[in-house]
Tab-separated table of all heavy atoms in Angstrom:
chain	number	residue	atom	x	y	z
V	1	GLY	N	-16.975	-16.497	-1.461
V	1	GLY	CA	-16.362	-17.809	-1.569
V	1	GLY	C	-15.576	-18.189	-0.313
V	1	GLY	O	-15.224	-19.343	-0.134
V	2	PHE	N	-15.318	-17.225	0.551
V	2	PHE	CA	-14.613	-17.500	1.794
V	2	PHE	C	-15.540	-17.431	3.001
V	2	PHE	O	-15.101	-17.536	4.115
V	2	PHE	CB	-13.446	-16.507	1.989
V	2	PHE	CG	-12.302	-16.750	1.046
V	2	PHE	CD1	-12.256	-16.096	-0.169
V	2	PHE	CD2	-11.307	-17.653	1.365
V	2	PHE	CE1	-11.208	-16.322	-1.041
V	2	PHE	CE2	-10.260	-17.886	0.495
V	2	PHE	CZ	-10.208	-17.223	-0.712
V	3	THR	N	-16.810	-17.208	2.754
V	3	THR	CA	-17.760	-17.099	3.858
V	3	THR	C	-18.577	-18.375	3.945
V	3	THR	O	-18.783	-19.078	2.965
V	3	THR	CB	-18.707	-15.902	3.649
V	3	THR	OG1	-19.389	-16.066	2.399
V	3	THR	CG2	-17.946	-14.597	3.635
V	4	GLN	N	-19.038	-18.662	5.149
V	4	GLN	CA	-19.955	-19.779	5.359
V	4	GLN	C	-21.301	-19.202	5.736
V	4	GLN	O	-21.377	-18.160	6.402
V	4	GLN	CB	-19.431	-20.698	6.467
V	4	GLN	CG	-18.152	-21.402	6.096
V	4	GLN	CD	-17.682	-22.330	7.213
V	4	GLN	OE1	-18.283	-22.437	8.269
V	4	GLN	NE2	-16.584	-23.019	6.954
V	5	GLU	N	-22.323	-19.860	5.332
V	5	GLU	CA	-23.673	-19.367	5.602
V	5	GLU	C	-23.872	-19.159	7.108
V	5	GLU	O	-23.545	-20.011	7.921
V	5	GLU	CB	-24.713	-20.377	5.083
V	5	GLU	CG	-26.089	-19.773	5.016
V	5	GLU	CD	-27.062	-20.691	4.311
V	5	GLU	OE1	-26.665	-21.310	3.310
V	5	GLU	OE2	-28.197	-20.789	4.785
V	6	GLY	N	-24.368	-18.001	7.463
V	6	GLY	CA	-24.642	-17.684	8.861
V	6	GLY	C	-23.449	-17.131	9.618
V	6	GLY	O	-23.600	-16.733	10.760
V	7	GLU	N	-22.284	-17.099	9.021
V	7	GLU	CA	-21.103	-16.557	9.695
V	7	GLU	C	-20.631	-15.304	8.955
V	7	GLU	O	-20.681	-15.230	7.735
V	7	GLU	CB	-19.976	-17.582	9.731
V	7	GLU	CG	-20.286	-18.784	10.589
V	7	GLU	CD	-19.106	-19.747	10.661
V	7	GLU	OE1	-18.164	-19.613	9.863
V	7	GLU	OE2	-19.149	-20.644	11.515
V	8	TYR	N	-20.173	-14.348	9.729
V	8	TYR	CA	-19.703	-13.105	9.147
V	8	TYR	C	-18.352	-12.762	9.756
V	8	TYR	O	-18.226	-12.634	10.971
V	8	TYR	CB	-20.708	-11.975	9.423
V	8	TYR	CG	-20.291	-10.644	8.868
V	8	TYR	CD1	-20.406	-10.360	7.509
V	8	TYR	CD2	-19.738	-9.669	9.693
V	8	TYR	CE1	-20.031	-9.152	6.992
V	8	TYR	CE2	-19.340	-8.439	9.175
V	8	TYR	CZ	-19.489	-8.193	7.827
V	8	TYR	OH	-19.093	-6.988	7.314
V	9	PHE	N	-17.340	-12.664	8.930
V	9	PHE	CA	-15.996	-12.329	9.391
V	9	PHE	C	-15.472	-11.153	8.584
V	9	PHE	O	-15.925	-10.883	7.485
V	9	PHE	CB	-15.040	-13.522	9.214
V	9	PHE	CG	-15.398	-14.697	10.057
V	9	PHE	CD1	-16.069	-15.778	9.516
V	9	PHE	CD2	-15.047	-14.729	11.399
V	9	PHE	CE1	-16.388	-16.875	10.287
V	9	PHE	CE2	-15.377	-15.826	12.182
V	9	PHE	CZ	-16.051	-16.898	11.630
V	10	VAL	N	-14.491	-10.486	9.149
V	10	VAL	CA	-13.799	-9.436	8.423
V	10	VAL	C	-12.308	-9.781	8.389
V	10	VAL	O	-11.831	-10.588	9.174
V	10	VAL	CB	-13.992	-8.041	9.061
V	10	VAL	CG1	-15.439	-7.602	8.975
V	10	VAL	CG2	-13.502	-8.024	10.498
V	11	CYS	N	-11.599	-9.173	7.465
V	11	CYS	CA	-10.159	-9.377	7.339
V	11	CYS	C	-9.436	-8.082	7.684
V	11	CYS	O	-9.850	-6.999	7.257
V	11	CYS	CB	-9.801	-9.749	5.900
V	11	CYS	SG	-10.580	-11.249	5.302
V	12	LYS	N	-8.373	-8.174	8.438
V	12	LYS	CA	-7.520	-7.017	8.715
V	12	LYS	C	-6.414	-7.023	7.674
V	12	LYS	O	-5.699	-8.013	7.513
V	12	LYS	CB	-6.938	-7.090	10.118
V	12	LYS	CG	-6.035	-5.923	10.438
V	12	LYS	CD	-5.451	-6.042	11.836
V	12	LYS	CE	-4.490	-4.899	12.102
V	12	LYS	NZ	-3.868	-5.012	13.413
V	13	LEU	N	-6.267	-5.922	6.973
V	13	LEU	CA	-5.248	-5.829	5.929
V	13	LEU	C	-3.899	-5.456	6.512
V	13	LEU	O	-3.796	-4.594	7.381
V	13	LEU	CB	-5.654	-4.786	4.881
V	13	LEU	CG	-6.978	-5.032	4.156
V	13	LEU	CD1	-7.241	-3.908	3.172
V	13	LEU	CD2	-6.948	-6.366	3.433
V	14	HIS	N	-2.867	-6.120	6.020
V	14	HIS	CA	-1.500	-5.790	6.426
V	14	HIS	C	-0.786	-5.019	5.323
V	14	HIS	O	0.205	-4.350	5.569
V	14	HIS	CB	-0.719	-7.058	6.760
V	14	HIS	CG	-1.258	-7.768	7.954
V	14	HIS	ND1	-0.983	-7.373	9.243
V	14	HIS	CD2	-2.075	-8.845	8.051
V	14	HIS	CE1	-1.610	-8.174	10.086
V	14	HIS	NE2	-2.282	-9.075	9.391
V	15	LYS	N	-1.249	-5.147	4.102
V	15	LYS	CA	-0.684	-4.466	2.930
V	15	LYS	C	-1.839	-3.818	2.173
V	15	LYS	O	-2.992	-4.196	2.318
V	15	LYS	CB	0.034	-5.447	2.008
V	15	LYS	CG	1.275	-6.073	2.603
V	15	LYS	CD	2.410	-5.101	2.514
V	15	LYS	CE	3.720	-5.750	2.919
V	15	LYS	NZ	4.817	-4.840	2.802
V	16	SER	N	-1.485	-2.871	1.323
V	16	SER	CA	-2.528	-2.204	0.539
V	16	SER	C	-3.047	-3.124	-0.561
V	16	SER	O	-2.393	-4.097	-0.944
V	16	SER	CB	-1.998	-0.906	-0.062
V	16	SER	OG	-0.924	-1.164	-0.940
V	17	LEU	N	-4.225	-2.819	-1.038
V	17	LEU	CA	-4.858	-3.540	-2.126
V	17	LEU	C	-5.307	-2.547	-3.189
V	17	LEU	O	-5.476	-1.363	-2.902
V	17	LEU	CB	-6.111	-4.276	-1.621
V	17	LEU	CG	-5.923	-5.449	-0.680
V	17	LEU	CD1	-7.276	-5.961	-0.220
V	17	LEU	CD2	-5.146	-6.568	-1.361
V	18	TYR	N	-5.535	-3.036	-4.382
V	18	TYR	CA	-6.126	-2.182	-5.397
V	18	TYR	C	-7.496	-1.722	-4.907
V	18	TYR	O	-8.171	-2.408	-4.157
V	18	TYR	CB	-6.269	-2.947	-6.723
V	18	TYR	CG	-4.934	-3.114	-7.405
V	18	TYR	CD1	-4.155	-4.235	-7.198
V	18	TYR	CD2	-4.453	-2.112	-8.238
V	18	TYR	CE1	-2.926	-4.368	-7.820
V	18	TYR	CE2	-3.228	-2.231	-8.858
V	18	TYR	CZ	-2.465	-3.369	-8.638
V	18	TYR	OH	-1.248	-3.487	-9.249
V	19	GLU	N	-7.884	-0.547	-5.345
V	19	GLU	CA	-9.165	0.076	-5.023
V	19	GLU	C	-9.233	0.690	-3.637
V	19	GLU	O	-10.222	1.295	-3.291
V	19	GLU	CB	-10.332	-0.886	-5.245
V	19	GLU	CG	-10.461	-1.311	-6.694
V	19	GLU	CD	-11.702	-2.116	-6.964
V	19	GLU	OE1	-12.687	-2.019	-6.202
V	19	GLU	OE2	-11.706	-2.846	-7.963
V	20	LEU	N	-8.200	0.585	-2.827
V	20	LEU	CA	-8.163	1.332	-1.571
V	20	LEU	C	-7.716	2.753	-1.898
V	20	LEU	O	-6.784	2.938	-2.679
V	20	LEU	CB	-7.159	0.740	-0.589
V	20	LEU	CG	-7.522	-0.503	0.172
V	20	LEU	CD1	-6.354	-0.903	1.080
V	20	LEU	CD2	-8.757	-0.290	0.997
V	21	LYS	N	-8.332	3.722	-1.301
V	21	LYS	CA	-7.914	5.099	-1.581
V	21	LYS	C	-6.513	5.368	-1.039
V	21	LYS	O	-5.832	6.273	-1.509
V	21	LYS	CB	-8.925	6.102	-1.032
V	21	LYS	CG	-9.080	6.095	0.458
V	21	LYS	CD	-10.120	7.077	0.920
V	21	LYS	CE	-10.246	7.039	2.426
V	21	LYS	NZ	-11.243	7.960	2.921
V	22	GLN	N	-6.039	4.577	-0.091
V	22	GLN	CA	-4.701	4.747	0.494
V	22	GLN	C	-3.593	4.118	-0.371
V	22	GLN	O	-2.414	4.399	-0.157
V	22	GLN	CB	-4.631	4.109	1.887
V	22	GLN	CG	-5.507	4.742	2.918
V	22	GLN	CD	-6.900	4.132	2.972
V	22	GLN	OE1	-7.364	3.504	2.030
V	22	GLN	NE2	-7.573	4.332	4.082
V	23	SER	N	-3.947	3.245	-1.301
V	23	SER	CA	-2.953	2.468	-2.040
V	23	SER	C	-1.953	3.309	-2.827
V	23	SER	O	-0.751	3.047	-2.735
V	23	SER	CB	-3.642	1.462	-2.955
V	23	SER	OG	-4.321	0.508	-2.189
V	24	PRO	N	-2.393	4.287	-3.616
V	24	PRO	CA	-1.396	5.070	-4.366
V	24	PRO	C	-0.393	5.775	-3.458
V	24	PRO	O	0.807	5.801	-3.729
V	24	PRO	CB	-2.233	6.081	-5.156
V	24	PRO	CG	-3.578	5.465	-5.267
V	24	PRO	CD	-3.757	4.676	-3.991
V	25	ARG	N	-0.871	6.345	-2.365
V	25	ARG	CA	0.021	7.054	-1.440
V	25	ARG	C	0.986	6.074	-0.749
V	25	ARG	O	2.174	6.360	-0.615
V	25	ARG	CB	-0.794	7.797	-0.386
V	25	ARG	CG	0.065	8.611	0.539
V	25	ARG	CD	-0.817	9.523	1.420
V	25	ARG	NE	-0.019	10.424	2.192
V	25	ARG	CZ	0.474	10.152	3.399
V	25	ARG	NH1	0.222	8.995	3.963
V	25	ARG	NH2	1.201	11.031	4.034
V	26	ALA	N	0.473	4.913	-0.350
V	26	ALA	CA	1.326	3.908	0.310
V	26	ALA	C	2.431	3.445	-0.636
V	26	ALA	O	3.592	3.310	-0.235
V	26	ALA	CB	0.483	2.734	0.784
V	27	TRP	N	2.082	3.204	-1.882
V	27	TRP	CA	3.074	2.790	-2.885
V	27	TRP	C	4.107	3.893	-3.094
V	27	TRP	O	5.306	3.664	-3.120
V	27	TRP	CB	2.401	2.431	-4.188
V	27	TRP	CG	3.263	2.628	-5.400
V	27	TRP	CD1	3.093	3.552	-6.375
V	27	TRP	CD2	4.443	1.881	-5.756
V	27	TRP	NE1	4.090	3.435	-7.309
V	27	TRP	CE2	4.930	2.419	-6.959
V	27	TRP	CE3	5.127	0.833	-5.169
V	27	TRP	CZ2	6.066	1.929	-7.589
V	27	TRP	CZ3	6.262	0.353	-5.801
V	27	TRP	CH2	6.715	0.897	-6.993
V	28	ASN	N	3.649	5.134	-3.236
V	28	ASN	CA	4.538	6.248	-3.499
V	28	ASN	C	5.518	6.453	-2.338
V	28	ASN	O	6.703	6.688	-2.557
V	28	ASN	CB	3.730	7.516	-3.774
V	28	ASN	CG	4.583	8.593	-4.375
V	28	ASN	OD1	5.253	9.319	-3.649
V	28	ASN	ND2	4.561	8.684	-5.689
V	29	GLN	N	5.038	6.324	-1.116
V	29	GLN	CA	5.920	6.468	0.042
V	29	GLN	C	6.986	5.374	0.063
V	29	GLN	O	8.140	5.631	0.349
V	29	GLN	CB	5.116	6.454	1.334
V	29	GLN	CG	4.339	7.717	1.568
V	29	GLN	CD	3.526	7.661	2.845
V	29	GLN	OE1	2.989	6.628	3.207
V	29	GLN	NE2	3.427	8.788	3.516
V	30	LYS	N	6.570	4.152	-0.226
V	30	LYS	CA	7.527	3.045	-0.221
V	30	LYS	C	8.582	3.229	-1.310
V	30	LYS	O	9.773	3.011	-1.087
V	30	LYS	CB	6.795	1.721	-0.394
V	30	LYS	CG	7.692	0.525	-0.207
V	30	LYS	CD	6.893	-0.713	0.010
V	30	LYS	CE	7.804	-1.792	0.548
V	30	LYS	NZ	7.102	-2.769	1.321
V	31	LEU	N	8.158	3.667	-2.489
V	31	LEU	CA	9.088	3.906	-3.582
V	31	LEU	C	10.047	5.033	-3.236
V	31	LEU	O	11.244	4.936	-3.481
V	31	LEU	CB	8.315	4.239	-4.864
V	31	LEU	CG	9.180	4.549	-6.081
V	31	LEU	CD1	10.007	3.333	-6.478
V	31	LEU	CD2	8.321	5.027	-7.238
V	32	ASN	N	9.538	6.116	-2.652
V	32	ASN	CA	10.400	7.240	-2.280
V	32	ASN	C	11.485	6.829	-1.282
V	32	ASN	O	12.635	7.245	-1.410
V	32	ASN	CB	9.573	8.390	-1.699
V	32	ASN	CG	8.739	9.072	-2.737
V	32	ASN	OD1	9.057	9.043	-3.933
V	32	ASN	ND2	7.665	9.696	-2.313
V	33	VAL	N	11.123	6.023	-0.312
V	33	VAL	CA	12.102	5.547	0.680
V	33	VAL	C	13.157	4.687	-0.015
V	33	VAL	O	14.356	4.838	0.225
V	33	VAL	CB	11.405	4.766	1.812
V	33	VAL	CG1	12.417	4.017	2.669
V	33	VAL	CG2	10.576	5.709	2.658
V	34	PHE	N	12.732	3.803	-0.899
V	34	PHE	CA	13.674	2.947	-1.624
V	34	PHE	C	14.639	3.785	-2.464
V	34	PHE	O	15.856	3.572	-2.418
V	34	PHE	CB	12.933	1.945	-2.514
V	34	PHE	CG	13.843	1.179	-3.421
V	34	PHE	CD1	14.617	0.138	-2.913
V	34	PHE	CD2	13.952	1.513	-4.747
V	34	PHE	CE1	15.480	-0.562	-3.746
V	34	PHE	CE2	14.823	0.819	-5.594
V	34	PHE	CZ	15.584	-0.215	-5.095
V	35	LEU	N	14.094	4.730	-3.225
V	35	LEU	CA	14.952	5.548	-4.097
V	35	LEU	C	15.927	6.402	-3.268
V	35	LEU	O	17.083	6.582	-3.649
V	35	LEU	CB	14.095	6.436	-5.012
V	35	LEU	CG	13.330	5.676	-6.090
V	35	LEU	CD1	12.416	6.619	-6.851
V	35	LEU	CD2	14.274	4.934	-7.032
V	36	LYS	N	15.461	6.899	-2.150
V	36	LYS	CA	16.338	7.679	-1.266
V	36	LYS	C	17.473	6.798	-0.744
V	36	LYS	O	18.616	7.244	-0.664
V	36	LYS	CB	15.528	8.254	-0.109
V	36	LYS	CG	16.302	9.197	0.769
V	36	LYS	CD	15.405	9.810	1.832
V	36	LYS	CE	16.162	10.767	2.702
V	36	LYS	NZ	15.316	11.381	3.709
V	37	ASN	N	17.167	5.550	-0.403
V	37	ASN	CA	18.190	4.615	0.095
V	37	ASN	C	19.259	4.295	-0.946
V	37	ASN	O	20.366	3.905	-0.588
V	37	ASN	CB	17.551	3.328	0.595
V	37	ASN	CG	16.852	3.516	1.928
V	37	ASN	OD1	17.134	4.456	2.668
V	37	ASN	ND2	15.928	2.637	2.233
V	38	ILE	N	18.935	4.431	-2.225
V	38	ILE	CA	19.933	4.179	-3.268
V	38	ILE	C	20.431	5.478	-3.887
V	38	ILE	O	20.819	5.530	-5.049
V	38	ILE	CB	19.418	3.188	-4.341
V	38	ILE	CG1	18.190	3.719	-5.057
V	38	ILE	CG2	19.167	1.810	-3.748
V	38	ILE	CD1	17.788	2.906	-6.287
V	39	GLU	N	20.382	6.561	-3.045
V	39	GLU	CA	21.019	7.837	-3.375
V	39	GLU	C	20.293	8.703	-4.396
V	39	GLU	O	20.884	9.603	-4.982
V	39	GLU	CB	22.459	7.605	-3.861
V	39	GLU	CG	23.304	6.773	-2.928
V	39	GLU	CD	23.672	7.489	-1.642
V	39	GLU	OE1	23.893	8.696	-1.674
V	39	GLU	OE2	23.739	6.802	-0.599
V	40	PHE	N	19.009	8.455	-4.644
V	40	PHE	CA	18.241	9.359	-5.506
V	40	PHE	C	17.646	10.453	-4.648
V	40	PHE	O	17.268	10.247	-3.504
V	40	PHE	CB	17.116	8.609	-6.226
V	40	PHE	CG	17.554	7.943	-7.498
V	40	PHE	CD1	18.133	6.692	-7.469
V	40	PHE	CD2	17.398	8.588	-8.711
V	40	PHE	CE1	18.547	6.083	-8.634
V	40	PHE	CE2	17.824	7.987	-9.893
V	40	PHE	CZ	18.392	6.726	-9.853
V	41	VAL	N	17.555	11.656	-5.224
V	41	VAL	CA	16.991	12.812	-4.545
V	41	VAL	C	15.763	13.250	-5.321
V	41	VAL	O	15.779	13.305	-6.554
V	41	VAL	CB	18.018	13.977	-4.498
V	41	VAL	CG1	17.421	15.205	-3.858
V	41	VAL	CG2	19.275	13.533	-3.771
V	42	ARG	N	14.713	13.558	-4.589
V	42	ARG	CA	13.479	14.007	-5.219
V	42	ARG	C	13.632	15.442	-5.717
V	42	ARG	O	14.142	16.303	-5.016
V	42	ARG	CB	12.373	13.957	-4.165
V	42	ARG	CG	11.057	13.581	-4.663
V	42	ARG	CD	10.147	13.370	-3.483
V	42	ARG	NE	8.848	13.011	-3.945
V	42	ARG	CZ	7.822	12.817	-3.188
V	42	ARG	NH1	7.944	12.943	-1.885
V	42	ARG	NH2	6.670	12.496	-3.678
V	43	SER	N	13.167	15.695	-6.911
V	43	SER	CA	13.239	17.034	-7.487
V	43	SER	C	12.291	17.974	-6.760
V	43	SER	O	11.159	17.611	-6.447
V	43	SER	CB	12.869	16.977	-8.978
V	43	SER	OG	12.650	18.263	-9.482
V	44	ASP	N	12.755	19.193	-6.491
V	44	ASP	CA	11.878	20.202	-5.897
V	44	ASP	C	10.852	20.715	-6.902
V	44	ASP	O	9.764	21.136	-6.533
V	44	ASP	CB	12.705	21.391	-5.383
V	44	ASP	CG	13.537	21.012	-4.164
V	44	ASP	OD1	13.124	20.093	-3.429
V	44	ASP	OD2	14.586	21.643	-3.951
V	45	ALA	N	11.217	20.670	-8.171
V	45	ALA	CA	10.327	21.176	-9.222
V	45	ALA	C	9.178	20.226	-9.522
V	45	ALA	O	8.074	20.640	-9.837
V	45	ALA	CB	11.123	21.432	-10.502
V	46	ASP	N	9.443	18.916	-9.421
V	46	ASP	CA	8.421	17.918	-9.722
V	46	ASP	C	8.681	16.698	-8.834
V	46	ASP	O	9.693	16.017	-9.005
V	46	ASP	CB	8.461	17.527	-11.188
V	46	ASP	CG	7.329	16.605	-11.598
V	46	ASP	OD1	6.746	15.924	-10.725
V	46	ASP	OD2	7.004	16.559	-12.798
């Protein structure tokens, strides 16, 4: 729906999307940084 006949373009992603294999890790890293900033500590056990 965003393509025109005879033209081929690609999009560079700036944020993760569903179905990217990197998405769960990117989300988890962002959440960990946020929680650390508000004084939460990650458990060594889990």
